[in-house]
Amino acid sequence: MKKILVTGALGQIGTELVVKMREIYGNENVIATNRSSRDGHILVETGVFEELDVTDAQSVHDLCKKHNVDTIIHMAALLSATAENNPLLAWNINMGGLMNTLEVARELNCKFFTPSSIGAFGPSSPKVNTPQDTIQRPTTMYGVNKVAGELLCDYYFHKFGVDTRGVRFPGLISYAQEPGGGTTDYAVTIFYEALKHKKYTSYIGAGTYMDMMYMPDAVNSIIDLMEADPAKLKHRNAFNVTAMSFEPEQIAAEIRKHIPEFTMDYDVDPMRQAIANSWPDSIDPSAAIEEWGFKVEYDLPKMTADMLAQLKAKGIK
């Protein structure tokens, strides 16, 4: 990768991904784009930034050509809970934006990455150690978008030879960017509330296991996959990746090791709980390990310690 354009760069993943990529590839070689700018945002202040609406196909094409891009990292999307509240908008952004960026990748011969999600699985998928290749019948608009996106990326590889790659992310936990409307966001908000108020009310019920990953591991997985030897990639798109699986009581217990007075109660949100119930408890990342050496550094205890330390350093207390 020499000249990289990232859509949705001011979102949860994009913020940390662009910072890391700029360290590796140079500030001038990683173009951050977002539908709107934000004054003072680190990505706007430290390198090339452009406003971009991914539903505008011509704008996507013109911007990639302007910067002589050879790699597109497509992150712009509406997340699961937000998508359920506005399914038509989710379809237009998630699928329209994906189609537009894939077309530009085809026209300009760019490498292409977009993330899928554990949301691509559904109630009929195996719940424990969910395989790489298994039944996928999601019951959310977000999940439908993700399955369609996985198939579309495969199609562009087989039909047009576009070098498409992707992973199925679990819930992602980050200190750099606040949550953006996902079902797993409770596992980020809980840290803010623990530091600010020493208590948290979870909208996800006790005993609800979901796969999670700390953002530094997620960012590294994108870069590792994009730098991997394409000849070794049998699946290319939608690799299962994960670092840990836990339920709310377990993360609360880990936080209490650092904040003993922390308490948690529940006010379950039926919509987000239904989404969580449709997802796997744990997934099998063996294909990613075998095909491109996927690995993680953070488990639940190590992530909890770092997350609290980083938020304190940001002044959250």
Side-chain angles (χ1 to χ4, degrees):
M1 296 187 290
K2 295 183 178 65
K3 204 79 168 182
I4 306 157
L5 182 136
V6 182
T7 72
L10 303 192
Q12 189 189 28
I13 303 175
T15 297
E16 293 189 55
L17 175 63
V18 171
V19 169
K20 179 77 171 183
M21 282 186 150
R22 283 177 173 172
E23 290 175 1
I24 297 170
Y25 303 102
N27 283 353
E28 70 283 0
N29 293 321
V30 184
I31 298 93
T33 75
N34 205 71
R35 187 168 186 172
S36 58
S37 182
R38 291 181 206 164
D39 290 341
H41 193 285
I42 185 172
L43 302 190
V44 178
E45 301 297 324
T46 60
V48 183
F49 177 86
E50 300 265 14
E51 290 190 4
L52 176 64
D53 179 354
V54 295
T55 64
D56 182 343
Q58 191 61 51
S59 292
V60 177
H61 182 276
D62 292 348
L63 203 54
C64 287
K65 197 161 186 179
K66 171 185 173 182
H67 291 285
N68 196 27
V69 166
D70 64 39
T71 304
I72 299 171
I73 309 291
H74 179 56
M75 310 302 300
L78 287 191
L79 299 183
S80 56
T82 307
E84 282 304 281
N85 286 323
N86 200 333
L88 180 58
L89 180 64
W91 180 268
N92 289 339
I93 291 175
N94 294 353
M95 297 312 302
L98 176 60
M99 193 72 188
N100 289 341
T101 48
L102 276 169
E103 267 295 286
V104 171
R106 179 183 68 82
E107 292 165 357
L108 301 183
N109 193 29
C110 297
K111 292 174 69 173
F112 187 88
F113 174 93
T114 197
S116 187
S117 162
I118 58 171
F121 298 116
S124 54
S125 303
K127 292 285 284 183
V128 178
N129 210 29
T130 308
Q132 174 68 39
D133 301 306
T134 190
I135 188 168
Q136 294 175 257
R137 301 288 291 180
T139 54
T140 64
M141 176 54 75
Y142 180 71
V144 169
N145 293 163
K146 288 304 183 184
V147 173
E150 292 179 9
L151 295 171
L152 197 58
C153 288
D154 282 346
Y155 176 81
Y156 266 74
F157 169 67
H158 292 294
K159 179 75 173 180
F160 303 117
V162 177
D163 186 355
T164 58
R165 309 185 187 195
V167 299
R168 289 186 187 121
F169 275 132
L172 297 177
I173 298 172
S174 168
Y175 62 83
Q177 191 75 12
E178 293 193 25
T183 299
T184 57
D185 283 350
Y186 89 89
V188 179
T189 307
I190 192 172
F191 288 101
Y192 285 86
E193 294 301 303
L195 288 168
K196 289 178 180 177
H197 306 297
K198 308 297 187 287
K199 62 181 180 179
Y200 176 62
T201 299
S202 175
Y203 58 78
I204 295 294
T208 306
Y209 283 83
M210 287 186 282
D211 274 79
M212 301 281 182
M213 181 182 289
Y214 198 31
M215 192 62 77
D217 284 331
V219 165
N220 287 336
S221 73
I222 294 173
I223 296 168
D224 289 347
L225 175 56
M226 292 306 288
E227 294 290 0
D229 180 355
K232 296 181 179 179
L233 303 180
K234 299 174 186 174
H235 289 89
R236 286 199 155 265
N237 296 295
F239 283 97
N240 283 356
V241 293
T242 185
M244 62 197 92
S245 177
F246 57 77
E247 53 99 8
E249 290 294 337
Q250 289 176 307
I251 192 171
E254 203 60 45
I255 289 172
R256 283 189 202 102
K257 293 178 182 178
H258 304 267
I259 308 173
E261 64 272 35
F262 175 68
T263 62
M264 183 174 69
D265 58 10
Y266 294 89
D267 183 12
V268 174
D269 173 15
M271 183 187 75
R272 285 185 282 194
Q273 184 65 45
I275 294 172
N277 290 343
S278 74
W279 290 353
D281 292 351
S282 60
I283 60 176
D284 175 14
S286 57
I289 294 169
E290 292 166 7
E291 294 179 37
W292 50 276
F294 167 68
K295 59 187 180 298
V296 295
E297 180 182 349
Y298 291 89
D299 58 9
L300 179 56
K302 187 173 181 180
M303 177 199 71
T304 300
D306 192 67
M307 187 76 175
L308 290 170
Q310 295 288 354
L311 288 178
K312 287 177 184 177
K314 285 178 64 176
I316 305 298
K317 57 184 179 179

